[in-house]
Amino acid sequence: MLLSGLTALVFLGACSTPGRPVQGPTHPRAVLHPAVLRPVIVGRAGWHADQASVRAGLVYDRSVRAVFIHHTDNPNDYDCAKDVPAMLLALEQRHIALGWDDLGYNFVVDRCGGIYEGRTGSIDRDVRGAHTEGFNTDTLGIAALGNFGPGQPVPQPMLRAIAEIAAWKLDPSVSPLGHVRLVSSNDGSRFPKGTAVSLNVVSGHRDVYETDCPGQALYDALPWIRKTAAALRAKATYPG
């Protein structure tokens, strides 16, 4: 059933404070990701993004060293074909209303395995998102559309899609099974500004922020996502 009204489409609770992007030098980056790993992605035009409301000054990083997984807290019974575009538009408009320059997440995945470009330019460049307070630099934010707390099963197509994005977007030198050292950029996270933290390359929002996000069911599936992303990487041939 089509959900009515933009207000009804957005439920921001556990992931309601993804964090502001840190301003810095903007620069393009050569794409090193193997084309064979690139999944099918619906661009922003495909879900009718409110491009006119996106603020100038998006920041670009030189690498993707880690991935943070989120959920959006929407109801899980949406129709992937009919409801998702309006849900994404409402999410983008909510983030912009909160003062962010665009939708905070780089990519959003629906329960049917559909992958959507979130923040402007995330397909072609390493755009710094506003998804994980204190840890936006050199990281990627992927949001699962729905609520995946205890007792809420995560659809297998959704898990597979998250793994596909991680395998494609992480830098070639970074293993999805590995760990990464990141430094907190502000005191809004679990860690004071300047604190160096060792994290899984594929982590949940709760690992660095006081939240239940991405929900216990999805958090418990992170080992599967890491293993699947690594397996996809093992089959890939990188450009010389």
Side-chain angles (χ1 to χ4, degrees):
M1 179 177 68
L2 181 64
L3 300 176
S4 60
L6 293 183
T7 301
L9 294 172
V10 177
F11 294 83
L12 294 176
C15 286
S16 62
T17 313
R20 299 170 297 279
V22 179
Q23 292 299 314
T26 60
H27 41 69
R29 175 179 178 272
V31 177
L32 300 177
H33 317 297
V36 69
L37 280 180
R38 175 171 170 168
V40 176
I41 302 170
V42 178
R44 286 171 58 84
W47 56 268
H48 311 295
D50 184 7
Q51 199 63 39
S53 296
V54 175
R55 298 184 175 93
L58 295 179
V59 178
Y60 302 90
D61 290 321
R62 293 187 181 276
S63 62
V64 174
R65 301 175 57 218
V67 173
F68 287 104
I69 309 302
H70 306 255
H71 68 176
T72 63
D73 276 349
N74 290 84
N76 294 338
D77 59 350
Y78 54 83
D79 184 295
C80 293
K82 295 179 181 179
D83 297 340
V84 170
M87 295 169 75
L88 294 175
L89 178 59
L91 190 63
E92 178 195 27
Q93 292 176 334
R94 172 63 173 165
H95 284 189
I96 291 174
L98 289 172
W100 307 332
D101 43 18
D102 194 0
L103 199 156
Y105 311 115
N106 297 103
F107 295 94
V108 181
V109 176
D110 70 25
R111 66 186 184 90
C112 301
I115 301 172
Y116 303 84
E117 180 183 27
R119 178 158 289 239
T120 300
S122 291
I123 292 176
D124 297 319
R125 300 170 72 180
D126 293 339
V127 183
R128 189 176 302 174
H131 49 83
T132 306
E133 188 79 59
F135 293 89
N136 289 316
T137 303
D138 292 337
T139 69
L140 191 78
I142 304 173
L145 195 62
N147 185 309
F148 299 101
Q152 295 289 343
V154 188
Q156 196 67 25
M158 173 177 273
L159 293 175
R160 173 78 182 189
I162 293 172
E164 289 175 351
I165 301 170
W168 171 53
K169 271 297 206 176
L170 280 167
D171 280 11
S173 62
V174 177
S175 170
L177 296 171
H179 291 79
V180 62
R181 180 181 179 275
L182 300 176
V183 178
S184 176
S185 66
N186 62 56
D187 294 328
S189 72
R190 286 184 182 271
F191 306 97
K193 180 178 179 179
T195 303
V197 185
S198 178
L199 299 164
N200 287 301
V201 166
V202 178
S203 287
H205 189 189
R206 67 170 65 176
D207 291 323
V208 293
Y209 192 77
E210 293 291 346
T211 177
D212 291 332
C213 184
Q216 191 61 49
L218 182 50
Y219 192 81
D220 289 343
L222 292 185
W224 187 93
I225 292 172
R226 295 177 189 123
K227 292 178 182 178
T228 303
L232 290 169
R233 277 290 185 89
K235 298 177 182 178
T237 301
Y238 287 80

